[in-house]
């Protein structure tokens, strides 16, 4: 097994703890026609200074996600807040950036400004944040939008490392406005992404195909078996490659973590408390 680290083009917003005045909410709101290709174009006096698109895992944080979705949709344009249990981030961002290109080709200055200053917010656990980072990386943008992470999971190691805290947040409107203020003032930082290559020697007798889980976690990015023509392929071995952020493990701890992930997906009502989830 070999792992290589590289600086990924995706940047992540961070800031110290505390609260910031969010200022006027118009600084964050994005007009419908930017988000929805079939919406009627409107004239806006000033471009938002910190336009955001928000992704929330409603099943994270002991089921706090639903309350957070409600508050963000009340504070912002409802169309810029997405529940990841209903729509995946790759579909949302591919649609958004395709619309950016269409509007820019028509000379829309607002679309140009919003694309340039766009920031993403993701509320969920480390796996949810890694999922969004992988999607942004796959877009291969000249300038990737920075990602701010709301600590809504069990461990929250990724948001903690970048200054967003470790404790699950409050979900009321004032807490949302305070977080928006932090996002506006946050600085961009680069994050390492890891590339992993695994090789298993082909046995002399019998097959050596691994028994794959029914569904790999989204955080294990683009994991697949390489073809025979791939330059990474080595004769006499089965070679697999993929990517990840944050951490990766094999063995008993990985089995326990995957078991927790699968059980929570099947019975989310049993996982409503961050402390008991950690236990």
């Amino acid at each position: 097994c070999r792992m290589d680290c590289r600086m990924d083009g995706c940047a992540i917003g961070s800031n110290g703890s505390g609260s910031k005045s969010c200022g006027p909410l118009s600084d964050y709101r994005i007009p419908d026609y930017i988000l929805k290709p079939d919406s009627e174009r409107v004239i806006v006096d000033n471009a938002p200074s910190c336009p955001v698109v928000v992704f929330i895992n409603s099943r994270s944080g002991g089921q706090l996600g639903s309350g957070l979705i409600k508050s963000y949709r009340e504070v912002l344009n409802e169309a810029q807040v997405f529940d990841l249990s209903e729509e995946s981030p790759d579909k949302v961002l591919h649609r958004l950036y395709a619309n950016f290109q269409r509007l820019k080709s028509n000379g829309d200055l607002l679309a140009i400004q919003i694309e340039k200053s766009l920031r993403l917010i993701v509320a969920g656990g480390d796996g949810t944040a890694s999922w969004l980072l992988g999607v942004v990386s796959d877009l291969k943008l000249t300038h990737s939008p920075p990602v701010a992470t709301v600590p809504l999971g069990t461990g929250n190691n990724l948001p903690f490392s970048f200054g967003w805290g470790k404790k699950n947040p409050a979900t009321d409107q004032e807490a949302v406005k305070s977080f928006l203020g932090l996002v506006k003032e946050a600085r961009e930082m680069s994050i390492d992404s890891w590339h992993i290559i695994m090789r298993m020697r082909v046995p002399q007798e019998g097959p050596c195909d691994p028994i794959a889980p029914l569904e790999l976690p989204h955080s294990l990015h683009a994991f697949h078996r390489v073809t025979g023509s791939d330059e990474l392929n080595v004769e006499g071995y089965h070679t697999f490659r993929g990517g990840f952020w944050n951490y990766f493990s094999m063995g008993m701890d990985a089995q326990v973590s995957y078991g927790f992930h699968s059980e929570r997906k099947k019975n989310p009502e049993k996982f409503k408390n961050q402390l008991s989830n950690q236990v």
Side-chain angles (χ1 to χ4, degrees):
C1 177
R2 191 187 88 210
M3 287 186 278
D4 302 311
C5 177
R6 62 185 172 87
M7 295 302 291
D8 194 84
C10 177
I12 189 164
S14 75
N15 204 350
S17 60
S19 62
K20 292 276 186 182
S21 171
C22 71
L25 292 174
S26 57
D27 286 350
Y28 309 93
R29 289 176 176 155
I30 301 175
D32 269 350
Y33 86 95
I34 299 286
L35 300 158
K36 302 176 180 178
D38 55 348
S39 295
E40 184 178 351
R41 184 175 176 180
V42 295
I43 303 299
V44 178
D45 292 335
N46 296 299
S49 60
C50 182
V52 296
V53 172
V54 184
F55 298 94
I56 300 174
N57 187 343
S58 58
R59 297 174 180 173
S60 290
Q63 314 307 303
L64 291 174
S66 298
L68 207 55
I69 289 172
K70 181 176 181 293
S71 293
Y72 268 101
R73 285 178 173 169
E74 289 170 349
V75 168
L76 301 172
N77 179 351
E78 186 174 331
Q80 69 193 92
V81 182
F82 297 91
D83 183 347
L84 290 173
S85 68
E86 297 176 358
E87 192 165 17
S88 63
D90 53 328
K91 291 182 179 179
V92 173
L93 291 179
H94 276 100
R95 183 173 66 240
L96 175 61
Y97 277 91
N99 201 35
F100 275 142
Q101 292 303 315
R102 182 181 65 84
L103 293 170
K104 288 191 300 181
S105 67
N106 293 331
D108 192 309
L109 297 179
L110 182 62
I112 294 172
Q113 291 174 293
I114 288 179
E115 182 184 21
K116 185 177 180 180
S117 55
L118 181 67
R119 295 191 160 193
L120 306 182
I121 296 174
V122 57
D126 294 324
T128 304
S130 297
W131 181 15
L132 181 60
L133 287 168
V135 169
V136 172
S137 176
D138 284 344
L139 289 172
K140 302 188 185 305
L141 301 170
T142 303
H143 173 69
S144 296
V147 180
T149 51
V150 180
L152 198 64
T154 301
N156 299 319
N157 294 304
L158 193 58
F160 180 74
S161 298
F162 285 89
W164 298 108
K166 206 173 181 72
K167 185 179 178 182
N168 288 168
T171 61
D172 59 278
Q173 287 192 24
E174 289 308 310
V176 165
K177 291 176 182 178
S178 177
F179 190 83
L180 288 172
L182 290 172
V183 171
K184 184 195 247 181
E185 299 298 325
R187 69 186 188 277
E188 295 185 20
M189 300 172 67
S190 295
I191 181 172
D192 292 338
S193 67
W194 291 82
H195 179 225
I196 183 169
I197 299 171
M198 294 189 291
R199 290 192 175 98
M200 293 182 287
R201 191 184 298 275
V202 177
Q204 293 182 349
E205 297 180 3
C208 184
D209 290 324
I211 301 173
L214 294 178
E215 185 179 357
L216 285 170
H218 292 296
S219 55
L220 190 57
H221 179 60
F223 192 78
H224 66 282
R225 181 173 169 178
V226 305
T227 62
S229 58
D230 193 294
E231 62 179 8
L232 292 174
N233 186 58
V234 175
E235 189 175 352
Y237 290 84
H238 291 315
T239 303
F240 297 81
R241 69 182 300 179
F244 67 95
W245 283 262
N246 214 18
Y247 43 70
F248 176 89
S249 65
M250 295 182 289
M252 188 171 69
D253 63 321
Q255 185 178 15
V256 170
S257 296
Y258 185 73
F260 175 87
H261 164 82
S262 302
E263 182 65 23
R264 182 172 59 180
K265 195 166 184 178
K266 288 190 294 184
N267 301 291
E269 70 283 354
K270 295 181 180 178
F271 300 85
K272 293 187 176 181
N273 182 276
Q274 184 183 19
L275 182 60
S276 63
N277 287 354
Q278 288 172 342
V279 172

